[in-house]
Amino acid sequence: MTVKPLGDRVVIKNCEAEETTKSGLILTSAAKEKPQMAIVIAVGPGGNVDGKEITMNVKAGEKVIYSKYAGTEVKVDGEELIIVRQSDILAVVE
Amino acid sequence: MTVKPLGDRVVIKNCEAEETTKSGLILTSAAKEKPQMAIVIAVGPGGNVDGKEITMNVKAGEKVIYSKYAGTEVKVDGEELIIVRQSDILAVVE
Amino acid sequence: MTVKPLGDRVVIKNCEAEETTKSGLILTSAAKEKPQMAIVIAVGPGGNVDGKEITMNVKAGEKVIYSKYAGTEVKVDGEELIIVRQSDILAVVE
Amino acid sequence: MTVKPLGDRVVIKNCEAEETTKSGLILTSAAKEKPQMAIVIAVGPGGNVDGKEITMNVKAGEKVIYSKYAGTEVKVDGEELIIVRQSDILAVVE
Amino acid sequence: MTVKPLGDRVVIKNCEAEETTKSGLILTSAAKEKPQMAIVIAVGPGGNVDGKEITMNVKAGEKVIYSKYAGTEVKVDGEELIIVRQSDILAVVE
Amino acid sequence: MTVKPLGDRVVIKNCEAEETTKSGLILTSAAKEKPQMAIVIAVGPGGNVDGKEITMNVKAGEKVIYSKYAGTEVKVDGEELIIVRQSDILAVVE
Amino acid sequence: MTVKPLGDRVVIKNCEAEETTKSGLILTSAAKEKPQMAIVIAVGPGGNVDGKEITMNVKAGEKVIYSKYAGTEVKVDGEELIIVRQSDILAVVE
């Protein structure tokens, strides 16, 4: 079962706690939004979104920092996925 | 009796609980919006919507995940339908 | 006495309860807006509305589902009419 | 003393209660806005309003239905006038 | 000392109570905004204002009706002036 | 140490109380915003600001009236400076 | 581990208290936003951001004053970083 995001939506999956510790990245909670690290699973096609032309700049497989509260959680085939707008992704981590 | 959505509206119909279980998709409720899986029944023509040019990217028959609170429920000929804007549809499930 | 809507406004008239029952359409109330079925009485010319170019897509005589709270009720010559923006009309019913 | 409205503003004057009764138009109060019938006294030139190009579609002398709460009341030479934006005028009554 | 307004700002000065009475104009207070009569002292150049192209339509010396709460009061050389945006000026009075 | 404002930001410095009294300008507090007189210290380059093309119309050395609550105060080398958007500057005083 | 900001995002790092004192810059807290001095670590590519064309005007290594509450704090490899939009950076300090 595949989840194909529409427009400027991106499907991401939280990195597990173990992996986060290994990589040395610890996320502190800011005043208004809890950022989190995730892996990009699928990227919408962008293009005409609500009358605006949107270019997609993230790729499946990339590790990203995103704003947690903006997303919608879904559980597909046992995997917990999150669907966010690309504008809720703050940075790519390499 | 047919419901033909206007502009960027899409008519969808919730998947029944049985079917959802079979497919293995379980939806958890996020902080602000309860996503749900539905089947697309009819798609508006898009085009000029409130002065913006909108392209429609979903098709009748597709399974989609949408944000529940955005829609309007109507009951037509015994069927419970939901009318949402295309921007309230997050992803297509295949 | 004729009510000619301006801009993207549409004059509609609620279908009577009897007629609604006959057609088999029953409207349930959603979380935020009570949809209703109505007949289009008159349609504004569209065009330049608040600096945006609006195309009108409904025609007098069509049955429509609309969002109740957006409209303004007026009683003209004994008939209860409702003036809504076209964007408050969700779908045409055939 | 003449009031010349600017931009997309329109000067209107409420129809008197007697006249309203004669014409058979009775206005009921909707949930959010009290519509009223008025006669157009003067119409702004339209054109560049806040960076948007506005076309004026009402003429002095026309009877209109408008949304009461949007307007500003002024009393000039004993006459109570109301200054509204054209977008607060819902329909012309003929 | 001269106050030269920027962008779409206009410097106005309230008409004195005596003058207002002579002209027969009495201003009643509306639900949301208290309109007032004033004389235009200086007009900004318009042009590029916040990325929008604004045309100025009032001239120094004109009597105008404006929405009181939008302005900023300053006292220069003993004169009480008000700085408003042109969009807060509703009409010119002749 | 020099503060170079970005985009449509302007660095200003409040005129001292003594100077204000000498010039005869006394500022009264309006309903929503406390205006103040200041001297322009540095002006951002304007240009592309948040996707809008902004032209800068104030120059270093000019005396301006601004809306106090919009700015951000910083103390650099003992001087109290304020960083405001150009749109928060209401007028130039000559 | 490198954090590469997306769109108009900028990764910054607060200057240490010691350094701030040496340079003579003391930041006072304004009514609505606490400004802070930081060093730019990485700058997003700008370009198409939410359908608007954004030009980036800060460079890695520059000292900047920013609005604190707008950012998202992350801790990467022991370093506390902040991700802000470029529009939250008020000025460059030289």
Side-chain angles (χ1 to χ4, degrees):
Chain A
M1 195 173 235
T2 313
V3 179
K4 293 175 67 173
L6 286 172
D8 61 345
R9 310 272 176 171
V10 177
V11 177
I12 59 178
K13 187 184 147 188
N14 275 327
C15 297
E16 297 167 32
E18 285 78 23
E19 180 181 16
T20 307
T21 307
K22 248 191 293 176
S23 70
L25 188 145
I26 306 148
L27 298 161
T28 60
S29 63
K32 286 250 180 68
E33 43 183 348
K34 258 199 265 177
Q36 282 192 319
M37 195 159 125
I39 289 170
V40 175
I41 301 297
V43 180
N48 184 303
V49 176
D50 244 353
K52 292 185 289 189
E53 196 63 30
I54 303 291
T55 309
M56 302 306 284
N57 299 310
V58 292
K59 294 192 202 71
E62 286 185 323
K63 276 191 190 177
V64 295
I65 297 173
Y66 71 101
S67 300
K68 184 181 179 184
Y69 293 129
T72 298
E73 297 168 16
V74 292
K75 206 172 188 174
V76 179
D77 296 337
E79 270 193 330
E80 280 195 22
L81 303 177
I82 302 153
I83 304 176
V84 298
R85 290 185 172 276
Q86 179 177 255
S87 59
D88 294 319
I89 298 182
L90 308 174
V92 172
V93 181
E94 287 181 355
Chain B
M1 193 173 238
T2 313
V3 179
K4 293 177 68 174
L6 286 172
D8 62 344
R9 310 273 176 172
V10 177
V11 178
I12 58 178
K13 186 183 147 188
N14 275 326
C15 296
E16 297 167 31
E18 284 78 23
E19 180 181 15
T20 307
T21 308
K22 246 191 294 176
S23 70
L25 188 144
I26 306 149
L27 297 161
T28 60
S29 65
K32 285 249 180 69
E33 44 183 347
K34 257 199 264 178
Q36 282 192 319
M37 195 159 127
I39 289 169
V40 175
I41 302 297
V43 180
N48 185 303
V49 176
D50 245 351
K52 291 185 288 190
E53 196 63 30
I54 303 291
T55 310
M56 302 307 284
N57 299 310
V58 291
K59 294 192 202 73
E62 286 185 324
K63 275 192 191 179
V64 295
I65 297 173
Y66 72 101
S67 300
K68 184 180 178 185
Y69 293 129
T72 298
E73 297 169 16
V74 292
K75 206 171 187 174
V76 180
D77 297 337
E79 269 193 330
E80 280 195 22
L81 302 178
I82 302 153
I83 304 176
V84 297
R85 291 186 172 275
Q86 179 177 255
S87 58
D88 294 319
I89 298 181
L90 308 175
V92 172
V93 182
E94 287 181 354
Chain C
M1 193 172 237
T2 314
V3 179
K4 292 176 67 173
L6 286 172
D8 61 344
R9 310 273 176 170
V10 177
V11 177
I12 59 178
K13 186 183 147 188
N14 276 326
C15 296
E16 298 167 30
E18 285 78 22
E19 180 182 15
T20 307
T21 308
K22 246 191 294 174
S23 70
L25 188 143
I26 306 149
L27 298 161
T28 61
S29 65
K32 285 248 180 68
E33 45 183 347
K34 256 200 265 179
Q36 282 193 317
M37 195 160 128
I39 289 169
V40 175
I41 301 297
V43 180
N48 185 303
V49 176
D50 246 352
K52 291 185 289 190
E53 196 62 31
I54 303 291
T55 309
M56 302 306 285
N57 299 309
V58 291
K59 293 192 203 74
E62 286 184 324
K63 274 190 191 180
V64 295
I65 297 173
Y66 71 101
S67 299
K68 185 181 179 185
Y69 292 128
T72 297
E73 296 169 17
V74 292
K75 206 171 186 174
V76 180
D77 296 338
E79 270 194 330
E80 280 195 22
L81 302 179
I82 302 153
I83 305 176
V84 297
R85 291 186 173 276
Q86 180 178 254
S87 58
D88 294 318
I89 298 181
L90 308 174
V92 173
V93 182
E94 287 180 354
Chain D
M1 192 172 238
T2 315
V3 179
K4 293 176 66 174
L6 286 172
D8 62 344
R9 310 273 177 172
V10 177
V11 177
I12 59 178
K13 187 183 145 185
N14 275 325
C15 296
E16 298 167 29
E18 287 76 23
E19 180 182 15
T20 307
T21 309
K22 247 190 293 174
S23 70
L25 188 144
I26 305 149
L27 297 161
T28 61
S29 64
K32 285 250 181 66
E33 44 182 345
K34 255 199 265 179
Q36 283 192 317
M37 195 158 127
I39 289 169
V40 175
I41 301 296
V43 180
N48 184 303
V49 177
D50 245 353
K52 292 185 289 190
E53 196 63 30
I54 303 292
T55 309
M56 303 306 285
N57 299 309
V58 292
K59 294 191 203 73
E62 286 184 324
K63 276 192 189 178
V64 295
I65 297 173
Y66 72 101
S67 300
K68 184 181 181 185
Y69 293 128
T72 297
E73 297 169 16
V74 291
K75 206 171 184 174
V76 180
D77 297 337
E79 270 194 330
E80 281 195 22
L81 302 178
I82 301 152
I83 305 176
V84 297
R85 291 185 173 275
Q86 181 178 255
S87 58
D88 294 318
I89 298 182
L90 308 174
V92 173
V93 181
E94 289 179 353
Chain E
M1 192 171 237
T2 315
V3 179
K4 293 176 66 175
L6 287 171
D8 62 343
R9 310 274 176 169
V10 177
V11 178
I12 59 177
K13 187 182 145 187
N14 275 326
C15 296
E16 298 167 29
E18 287 76 24
E19 180 181 15
T20 308
T21 308
K22 248 192 291 174
S23 71
L25 187 143
I26 305 149
L27 299 160
T28 61
S29 64
K32 286 250 181 66
E33 45 183 346
K34 257 199 265 177
Q36 283 191 317
M37 194 159 128
I39 289 170
V40 176
I41 302 296
V43 180
N48 184 303
V49 177
D50 245 354
K52 291 185 290 189
E53 196 62 29
I54 303 292
T55 309
M56 302 306 285
N57 300 308
V58 292
K59 293 191 203 72
E62 286 185 326
K63 276 192 190 177
V64 296
I65 297 172
Y66 71 101
S67 300
K68 183 179 180 185
Y69 293 129
T72 297
E73 296 169 17
V74 292
K75 206 172 185 173
V76 180
D77 297 338
E79 271 194 329
E80 281 195 22
L81 303 178
I82 302 152
I83 304 176
V84 298
R85 290 184 173 276
Q86 179 177 257
S87 59
D88 294 319
I89 298 181
L90 308 174
V92 173
V93 181
E94 289 180 352
Chain F
M1 192 171 235
T2 315
V3 179
K4 293 175 66 175
L6 287 172
D8 61 344
R9 309 274 176 170
V10 178
V11 177
I12 59 177
K13 187 183 146 189
N14 275 327
C15 296
E16 298 168 29
E18 286 77 24
E19 181 181 17
T20 307
T21 308
K22 248 191 293 175
S23 70
L25 188 143
I26 305 149
L27 297 161
T28 60
S29 64
K32 284 249 181 68
E33 44 183 349
K34 258 200 264 176
Q36 283 192 319
M37 194 159 128
I39 289 170
V40 175
I41 302 295
V43 181
N48 184 304
V49 177
D50 245 355
K52 291 185 288 190
E53 195 63 29
I54 303 292
T55 309
M56 302 307 284
N57 299 309
V58 292
K59 293 191 203 74
E62 286 184 326
K63 276 192 189 176
V64 296
I65 297 172
Y66 72 101
S67 300
K68 183 180 179 185
Y69 293 129
T72 298
E73 297 168 16
V74 292
K75 207 173 187 172
V76 179
D77 297 337
E79 271 194 330
E80 281 195 21
L81 303 178
I82 302 152
I83 305 176
V84 298
R85 291 185 171 276
Q86 179 177 255
S87 59
D88 294 320
I89 298 182
L90 308 174
V92 173
V93 181
E94 289 180 353
Chain G
M1 194 171 233
T2 314
V3 179
K4 294 175 67 174
L6 287 172
D8 61 344
R9 309 272 176 172
V10 177
V11 178
I12 58 178
K13 187 183 146 189
N14 275 327
C15 296
E16 298 167 30
E18 285 78 23
E19 181 182 17
T20 307
T21 307
K22 248 189 294 176
S23 69
L25 188 145
I26 306 148
L27 298 160
T28 60
S29 64
K32 285 250 181 69
E33 43 183 348
K34 259 199 263 176
Q36 284 192 318
M37 195 159 126
I39 289 169
V40 175
I41 302 296
V43 181
N48 184 303
V49 176
D50 244 353
K52 291 184 289 189
E53 196 64 29
I54 303 292
T55 309
M56 301 307 284
N57 299 310
V58 291
K59 294 190 202 73
E62 286 184 324
K63 275 192 190 177
V64 295
I65 297 173
Y66 72 101
S67 299
K68 184 181 178 184
Y69 293 130
T72 298
E73 297 168 16
V74 293
K75 207 172 185 173
V76 179
D77 297 337
E79 271 194 329
E80 281 195 21
L81 303 178
I82 302 152
I83 305 176
V84 298
R85 291 186 171 274
Q86 179 177 255
S87 58
D88 294 319
I89 298 182
L90 308 174
V92 173
V93 181
E94 289 181 353

